[in-house]
């Protein structure tokens, strides 16, 4: 069984909080040894996930929402927890040329595993990036 450490939790109430969450992601990813390119991409995944959640929660009156960071010996996991309906994430190589909807597709190409899980009235978007063995 893996030893999981909950590194950090944050409540997102306004757009400035999203910037703080991006900073935390980049800092934690750097601290556990991800290369700068991966740190930047994880920062981008955080931005996309939080922006999607923020826009949905603001529109439906369900602010605030939470973000969690978990690190174990093999992976870095970012979880965005919001109240609301479930949605799906599918990795595809087709190009979305519409005005919206590229964020989840982008996330699926940045991280090694992404999935959505319903727990009660909440939906969790889980994004996992594996740590490479040196």
């Amino acid at each position: 069984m893996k030893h999981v450490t909950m590194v950090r939790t944050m409540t997102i109430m306004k757009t400035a909080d999203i910037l703080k969450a991006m900073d935390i992601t980049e800092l934690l990813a750097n601290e556990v040894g991800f290369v700068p390119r991966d740190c930047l991409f994880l920062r981008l995944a955080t931005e996309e996930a939080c922006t999607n959640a923020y826009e949905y929660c603001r529109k439906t009156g369900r602010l605030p929402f939470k973000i969690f960071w978990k690190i174990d010996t093999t992976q870095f996991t970012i979880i965005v927890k919001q109240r609301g309906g479930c949605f799906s994430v599918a990795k595809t190589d087709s190009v979305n040329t519409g005005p919206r909807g590229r964020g989840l597709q982008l996330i699926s190409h940045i991280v090694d595993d992404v999935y959505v899980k319903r727990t009660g009235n909440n939906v969790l978007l889980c994004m996992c990036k594996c740590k490479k063995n040196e």
Side-chain angles (χ1 to χ4, degrees), residues 105-117:
Q105 185 178 12
L106 180 65
I107 290 168
S108 72
H109 285 275
I110 288 173
V111 298
D112 297 311
D113 187 24
V114 60
Y115 58 94
V116 178
K117 184 168 129 179

Side-chain angles (χ1 to χ4, degrees), residues 62-124:
R62 294 181 171 148
L63 281 172
F65 65 92
K66 291 191 179 289
I67 182 169
F68 304 87
W69 295 267
K70 292 181 181 180
I71 299 171
D72 67 30
T73 55
T74 61
Q75 69 184 11
F76 182 74
T77 305
I78 304 163
I79 302 167
V80 174
K81 178 182 178 182
Q82 67 188 61
R83 289 179 290 149
C86 206
F87 55 93
S88 64
V89 179
K91 188 171 184 174
T92 177
D93 288 327
S94 64
V95 178
N96 176 351
T97 58
R100 301 195 43 87
R102 288 179 296 278
L104 291 173
Q105 185 178 12
L106 180 65
I107 290 168
S108 72
H109 285 275
I110 288 173
V111 298
D112 297 311
D113 187 24
V114 60
Y115 58 94
V116 178
K117 184 168 129 179
R118 176 172 274 303
T119 57
N121 293 330
N122 297 304
V123 175
L124 308 178

Side-chain angles (χ1 to χ4, degrees), residues 7-12 16-32 39 42-43 46 67-71 76-78:
V7 176
R8 192 92 182 246
T9 302
M10 182 179 172
T11 300
I12 307 287
D17 295 334
I18 296 172
L19 295 173
K20 289 178 194 169
M22 293 164 57
D23 290 343
I24 291 168
T25 295
E26 188 171 17
L27 178 72
L28 292 173
N30 185 55
E31 284 179 4
V32 298
C39 293
L42 288 166
R43 180 183 176 92
T46 300
I67 182 169
F68 304 87
W69 295 267
K70 292 181 181 180
I71 299 171
F76 182 74
T77 305
I78 304 163

Side-chain angles (χ1 to χ4, degrees), residues 1-7 31-34 69-77 112 128-134:
M1 182 196 280
K2 292 186 212 177
H3 174 69
V4 176
T5 304
M6 178 74 74
V7 176
E31 284 179 4
V32 298
F34 282 101
W69 295 267
K70 292 181 181 180
I71 299 171
D72 67 30
T73 55
T74 61
Q75 69 184 11
F76 182 74
T77 305
D112 297 311
C128 307
K129 182 75 173 169
C130 295
K131 293 170 25 179
K132 306 289 187 254
N133 291 332
E134 302 303 322

